[in-house]
Amino acid sequence: MFRIFKKSERSSPDDEQDSDVPLEASNDDTKPAEISPDDAAEPLHNDEKYISIKNIASSNAPQKIIKNKLKLALTCTYWLSVFAVWSLIIMIGAITYYAVTLPDPVTLAIKNRPGHIKFLSKDDNVIAVRGLQREHIALNNLPQHLINAVLSIEDSRFYDHIGFDPLGIVRASVVNYQYGKVVQGGSTISQQLAKNLYFTSERTFARKVKEMVAAFWLEVRLEKDKILEIYFNSVYFGAGAYGVEAASQRYFAKPASQVLLYESALLAGLLKAPSLFAPTYDLKTSHERAYLVLERMQALGAITTDQMQEALEAPVDIIAHRGNANINYVLDWMMEDLPKLAGVRHGDIIVHTTLDANLQKLTSATVRQFMDRNGKRARAGQAAAVMLDKTGAIRALVGGRSYRKSQFNRAIKAKRQPGSAFKPFVYLAALQTGLTPNSIVRDTPVNIKGWRPRNYAGYYRGNIPMHHALRKSINTVAVRMFQRAGHSRVIQTAKRLGIRSPMHTKPSLALGTSETSLLELTSAYVPFANGGFSMRPYAIKKITDANGKVLYKRAKHRPTRVMASRHVRYMNTMLRSVVLKGTGRRAHFKGQILAGKTGTSQNFRDAWFLGYSPYYTLGIWVGNDNNTRMKGVTGGSLPAAMWRYIMRNAHQRLPSKSLPGVYTRL
């Protein structure tokens, strides 16, 4: 068993004390004189008397200071003793209370072992089940390097403290004070187990105190190894895996008893923030965290330098879920939100989602087929898609070409430049200054402190209507609109509609040079489709337990108007023209009123098509993970073709409807 031992303290040699030097008095400059007791009684002159009184006062001062300090020390000792006695009484009372009221931790851990998580579609049909391992694994069946990894990064003084660690709390407080925020926790493994077994995830001082007392009770009630065993079998490791056996099967497809050193470091690294460090969510961050764990193990002497190097060189394969693979992008995302929405729950739970099983299957298959057919020729390695309804409910989400090959969710996690797909927010901001789609704007060269944006067509059209400029996605006009509206108005407009990512204030923002995610950008187009009302994308409607008890229910959203009605009409008219006659012609199909916008970032690194009907808003992104350029792929080519295929099939049985305020022609 790996333990952190305290080094023995060596006593230092006693400090040498300076000897007292006697004062000497003399009647002249050459001959010293001795002072007898009788001399002190002789009368002194005024000056001599003043000096003597001063010396006497000075000699008594240290005695008074020592006396006061002694009195203060005795007072402090008294009150500290009183505090200690009452603390002991309270602690004994709390321990007695917990001994009487709290269930046995071993029985509770077995009873509350996590079960299955069942996902239902919007029609309450089962679309997926995440099975969780129920097998309890004994501590002595776990590899020692796995135990050492967890102890090193989570609680290196586990075998030395009494359930809570005052030194750890002080250390964490100092570090958090230095950084000005919470960057380090002081909770021990015993405290974490107490929280998981007996308390909710609320963050209050009262709960923290209860947690510390319960942790002390666990230490009194159980042996250290038993506490550690229960912890390993109940703690959350991300991606729906509760317990080390479930986590090992989830990430490595093998029992926890067989995990290697690097795999152990990866598992231990998840415990601080499972949602952030899960390799299915962000593989790069997960590996960085594992490296930190190995460094900590080496620093504490749990492994040697050679063992660390061997671990780093060993291959590690993160497995994907089996079954309908591409649905796992959105399932992983929802799994990360479950503890936040419903707390850490045990037993079977049911997640009621907004997903449409048919649309999810259609979107996944389309992304895969189009990329398999065109990706290599276009030098495009990845694609992602998000479909929402008018309320923001996610009907389909695909985070990549193949979940089996890469679990990174490009629809949510990736931040890329939207290019001209950002221009609708610029035009909307310009409309707010008093322009209309028929206002005349100038397509002429622009020079802003040496920056000269060019049009994709390579020429300039002079004075043209505003709707024509958006239809052809003319860069110079977008920049002039940005200057007219001002960067503050443009940024506020984009935020109001749904862009959450930070945006810079440079004029190039008009051409979409600030990064955002596909989910953000798609959700920001929804207000065009629903008449100008705010919404936030969501995938979970409700969470219940196996008995139907509601653990979470999404609060009813009250839409807020974020666009004036006339601006909705103007934008829908112009964006419909993009699909009918402009850069988005390839997305058009008959039977529905459609609108949308293409987007292509510099050097063909990102290609987008964002569009909507009266029923759905769909966003498509195509590009490469390493940000390399594609072979001439624009938003109006491959993304528009994929968008058309998905939307045409999604609307086969839906009656034709008009977009809010849209004209049949310009």
Side-chain angles (χ1 to χ4, degrees):
M1 183 63 63
F2 169 58
R3 306 189 184 197
I4 308 299
F5 295 98
K6 295 183 292 184
K7 295 182 180 179
S8 60
E9 298 180 356
R10 297 176 58 187
S11 59
S12 60
D14 295 336
D15 296 330
E16 296 182 359
Q17 298 180 355
D18 295 330
S19 59
D20 294 333
V21 179
L23 296 174
E24 292 182 348
S26 62
N27 296 326
D28 52 53
D29 295 336
T30 59
K31 183 179 179 181
E34 296 181 357
I35 299 177
S36 65
D38 296 334
D39 294 331
E42 292 181 2
L44 303 174
H45 296 293
N46 290 336
D47 292 342
E48 293 173 336
K49 184 176 181 180
Y50 172 76
I51 295 171
S52 298
I53 293 172
K54 182 179 179 181
N55 290 339
I56 292 170
S58 300
S59 64
N60 290 336
Q63 296 179 3
K64 292 182 179 180
I65 293 173
I66 293 172
K67 201 171 183 179
N68 290 337
K69 288 184 177 179
L70 182 61
K71 184 178 180 181
L72 178 62
L74 291 173
T75 303
C76 292
T77 302
Y78 170 78
W79 285 111
L80 285 174
S81 301
V82 172
F83 176 77
V85 170
W86 277 107
S87 298
L88 182 61
I89 293 173
I90 293 172
M91 180 69 74
I92 293 173
I95 295 298
T96 304
Y97 169 79
Y98 281 118
V100 173
T101 60
L102 291 183
D104 176 68
V106 178
T107 304
L108 188 65
I110 295 174
K111 178 182 177 182
N112 288 348
R113 193 169 299 148
H116 292 84
I117 300 177
K118 187 182 296 182
F119 292 90
L120 306 183
S121 68
K122 71 180 185 67
D123 301 321
D124 290 334
N125 295 317
V126 178
I127 54 175
V129 176
R130 287 284 178 93
L132 301 174
Q133 300 294 325
R134 296 172 180 268
E135 180 183 352
H136 183 93
I137 186 168
L139 188 66
N140 57 12
N141 288 333
L142 294 176
Q144 189 62 46
H145 52 250
L146 174 58
I147 298 172
N148 291 351
V150 171
L151 290 177
S152 295
I153 200 67
E154 285 295 308
D155 190 357
S156 61
R157 288 172 39 82
F158 174 71
Y159 284 97
D160 297 323
H161 60 63
I162 57 172
F164 56 91
D165 187 3
L167 292 178
I169 295 172
V170 172
R171 182 189 66 249
S173 300
V174 171
V175 173
N176 294 336
Y177 176 79
Q178 291 174 342
Y179 281 87
K181 61 180 180 179
V182 178
V183 296
Q184 195 175 106
S187 294
T188 64
I189 283 178
S190 301
Q191 286 177 258
Q192 294 177 44
L193 179 60
K195 181 184 70 173
N196 292 341
L197 289 177
Y198 301 119
F199 304 109
T200 64
S201 57
E202 63 172 340
R203 292 191 173 187
T204 62
F205 179 76
R207 196 225 70 193
K208 197 68 177 178
V209 173
K210 292 178 183 178
E211 176 188 296
M212 293 173 64
V213 176
F216 182 73
W217 179 76
L218 287 177
E219 296 274 346
V220 174
R221 177 74 173 76
L222 302 173
E223 294 181 352
K224 287 280 189 178
D225 284 355
K226 194 63 180 179
I227 292 174
L228 198 56
E229 180 178 306
I230 298 174
Y231 176 80
F232 268 108
N233 281 277
S234 60
V235 70
Y236 184 56
F237 285 89
Y242 289 87
V244 69
E245 181 67 17
S248 181
Q249 295 286 356
R250 169 65 186 89
Y251 297 122
F252 314 124
K254 60 180 172 181
S257 59
Q258 298 178 12
V259 295
L260 304 177
L261 175 55
Y262 186 86
E263 294 168 337
S264 298
L266 192 146
L267 290 175
L270 297 174
L271 297 174
K272 181 180 180 181
S275 299
L276 177 63
F277 298 128
T280 52
Y281 181 67
D282 190 336
L283 188 59
K284 181 176 181 291
T285 303
S286 181
H287 283 311
E288 290 173 351
R289 178 69 175 168
Y291 182 81
L292 182 64
V293 174
L294 291 173
E295 280 191 322
R296 177 68 173 163
M297 294 178 71
Q298 182 188 13
L300 293 173
I303 59 174
T304 65
T305 303
D306 291 340
Q307 287 175 321
M308 178 176 175
Q309 191 60 37
E310 290 176 6
L312 293 172
E313 294 173 357
V316 177
D317 294 324
I318 307 298
I319 68 162
H321 279 292
R322 298 169 179 83
N324 183 9
N326 279 14
I327 197 175
N328 288 306
Y329 285 115
V330 67
L331 294 184
D332 282 350
W333 180 48
M334 288 189 282
M335 288 293 296
E336 301 301 334
D337 279 344
L338 288 185
K340 180 175 61 178
L341 297 179
V344 178
R345 297 289 172 174
H346 306 283
D348 295 343
I349 64 173
I350 301 171
V351 182
H352 302 255
T353 78
T354 63
L355 296 177
D356 185 306
N358 293 326
L359 293 179
Q360 177 67 36
K361 185 177 180 180
L362 167 66
T363 306
S364 298
T366 302
V367 169
R368 184 178 63 254
Q369 291 169 8
F370 270 72
M371 293 305 296
D372 288 347
R373 187 186 313 143
N374 303 288
K376 186 175 182 179
R377 175 172 51 84
R379 296 177 190 167
Q382 284 294 345
V386 175
M387 181 184 287
L388 300 91
D389 71 3
K390 294 191 297 183
T391 68
I394 296 176
R395 298 307 184 196
L397 187 148
V398 178
R401 180 175 178 177
S402 171
Y403 184 86
R404 295 184 184 279
K405 295 181 180 179
S406 171
Q407 292 85 50
F408 180 71
N409 194 330
R410 295 154 191 85
I412 297 172
K413 182 69 175 178
K415 295 291 184 75
R416 309 296 287 255
Q417 291 187 3
S420 295
F422 187 83
K423 288 178 181 176
F425 312 121
V426 179
Y427 275 71
L428 176 58
L431 291 175
Q432 294 167 6
T433 67
L435 298 179
T436 70
N438 292 316
S439 296
I440 301 301
V441 293
R442 286 189 300 145
D443 176 20
T444 56
V446 174
N447 186 339
I448 303 176
K449 297 181 180 180
W451 179 61
R452 298 177 176 87
R454 298 179 180 178
N455 293 330
Y456 181 75
Y459 59 88
Y460 305 97
R461 298 166 176 82
N463 292 336
I464 56 174
M466 187 176 176
H467 64 79
H468 184 79
L470 184 58
R471 180 195 309 164
K472 296 298 182 181
S473 196
I474 298 174
N475 289 338
T476 58
V477 174
V479 174
R480 293 185 187 281
M481 295 295 97
F482 181 87
Q483 290 182 301
R484 177 187 176 95
H487 65 81
S488 296
R489 187 192 295 270
V490 172
I491 290 173
Q492 289 303 316
T493 299
K495 285 183 177 180
R496 197 164 61 245
L497 268 66
I499 300 296
R500 312 295 173 194
S501 298
M503 289 170 276
H504 63 71
T505 60
K506 299 175 183 177
S508 62
L509 177 63
L511 307 184
T513 57
S514 268
E515 296 179 339
T516 186
S517 71
L518 177 61
L519 179 60
E520 283 185 35
L521 194 57
T522 306
S523 66
Y525 272 66
V526 173
F528 297 131
N530 69 13
F533 294 95
S534 66
M535 46 66 58
R536 285 214 173 194
Y538 67 101
I540 298 176
K541 297 186 295 184
K542 184 172 64 174
I543 303 172
T544 63
D545 63 15
N547 298 319
K549 180 182 177 181
V550 177
L551 306 176
Y552 162 81
K553 187 175 183 180
R554 182 177 181 270
K556 189 174 181 180
H557 176 68
R558 292 185 177 181
T560 303
R561 179 167 287 282
V562 294
M563 273 191 287
S565 297
R566 67 181 183 280
H567 296 152
V568 174
R569 183 170 69 252
Y570 292 159
M571 290 303 303
N572 282 341
T573 301
M574 290 191 290
L575 291 174
R576 180 170 182 256
S577 177
V578 172
V579 175
L580 287 174
K581 309 173 185 178
T583 57
R585 294 188 303 274
R586 199 169 180 180
H588 182 259
F589 61 88
K590 294 181 179 181
Q592 290 292 342
I593 305 297
L594 309 171
K597 184 70 185 76
T598 57
T600 309
S601 66
Q602 291 182 342
N603 298 321
F604 304 103
R605 287 188 171 89
D606 303 278
W608 311 70
F609 190 84
L610 284 296
Y612 52 95
S613 72
Y615 296 97
Y616 303 116
T617 300
L618 173 64
I620 303 287
W621 167 85
V622 176
N624 291 303
D625 287 338
N626 59 5
N627 209 31
T628 55
R629 62 184 301 167
M630 296 176 287
K631 189 178 180 180
V633 179
T634 66
S637 58
L638 184 55
M642 294 170 65
W643 189 93
R644 178 179 184 272
Y645 187 88
I646 295 171
M647 291 289 274
R648 186 179 63 181
N649 283 278
H651 288 79
Q652 280 186 347
R653 299 180 182 179
L654 297 176
S656 179
K657 291 174 64 176
S658 180
L659 288 168
V662 74
Y663 293 147
T664 57
R665 63 181 182 179
L666 287 172

